[in-house]
Amino acid sequence: MSASEEELIGHSYTRARRHPLVIGKLPGAGRLPGGPYTITQVMTMVISFGLLVMTRDLWAHFGAMNFILMALIPWGLAWVLRYARLDGRDPARAVRSLLIYSSTPAQGRLAGKPQRVARPRLATATCTVRVRSAERPAPAAAAVTPAPAPARPARPAPVPTAAAARRPEPKTGLQALLASLDEQ
């Protein structure tokens, strides 16, 4: 196998270098059973335990088994949450990212403030075309006051030639102006 045909192998250690903040030991109590737990797991255990206590009248009809259920359901939810991954992240961070994404303005932010895109407006412009006559005033006279241009006498209509007969008449004002300049 030549050097250009060698198989390239790449390694990524990014996931191994991510260390989530975990709770693994309690001061004086030692290691937690089933731990270490992430903050998401601890919050899931606390919230699910609180919901079980608040809704005890609805489900607690098993006698002594109620206490076992109150311990196993929060721990089981936390254990399942340890292996649940959404896009490579734990579910709490994925939900947080989704909330941030849905709350940002569509145009983005500029200097921390929502970017507002101005409503598009119609562009307007003015174009001025000046035709200079062959007679130019002297530089000294131009500095004092420009004299008004003398009115040009009307020209007789040109005699059509074979080339002019084939060419169509210009339709717009600008084309007519350019055609008249070409004829001069």
Side-chain angles (χ1 to χ4, degrees):
M1 201 184 303
S2 68
S4 63
E5 296 175 0
E6 264 187 59
E7 184 177 330
L8 298 176
I9 299 173
H11 298 281
S12 173
Y13 300 101
T14 308
R15 187 171 174 101
R17 293 181 184 197
R18 291 186 201 148
H19 298 289
L21 184 61
V22 294
I23 300 171
K25 293 183 179 181
L26 290 177
R31 188 179 168 106
L32 293 173
Y37 298 107
T38 62
I39 302 298
T40 306
Q41 290 174 304
V42 171
M43 293 303 295
T44 301
M45 285 193 278
V46 169
I47 290 171
S48 62
F49 183 78
L51 288 174
L52 287 173
V53 169
M54 290 181 353
T55 60
R56 185 177 36 207
D57 295 337
L58 297 174
W59 63 269
H61 304 292
F62 306 108
M65 187 71 153
N66 294 340
F67 296 110
I68 295 173
L69 288 175
M70 286 181 74
L72 285 180
I73 290 177
W75 184 81
L77 287 174
W79 182 79
V80 167
L81 203 57
R82 172 181 287 181
Y83 299 104
R85 293 283 173 214
L86 297 172
D87 210 18
R89 297 177 286 182
D90 69 66
R93 290 178 191 258
V95 169
R96 178 180 174 265
S97 297
L98 183 65
L99 291 174
I100 290 172
Y101 176 72
S102 65
S103 67
T104 56
Q107 289 82 20
R109 294 186 182 275
L110 180 64
K113 297 179 183 176
Q115 176 72 24
R116 304 257 186 244
V117 177
R119 203 173 79 196
R121 292 186 216 138
L122 198 58
T124 59
T126 305
C127 179
T128 305
V129 178
R130 299 177 80 189
V131 179
R132 291 189 175 180
S133 65
E135 304 167 8
R136 292 188 184 172
V144 177
T145 53
R152 291 198 292 185
R155 285 186 170 180
V159 177
T161 61
R166 281 183 271 146
R167 192 169 74 190
E169 283 296 317
K171 302 288 186 199
T172 64
L174 182 61
Q175 288 176 345
L177 180 65
L178 291 174
S180 69
L181 288 175
D182 287 341
E183 291 173 4
Q184 288 179 3

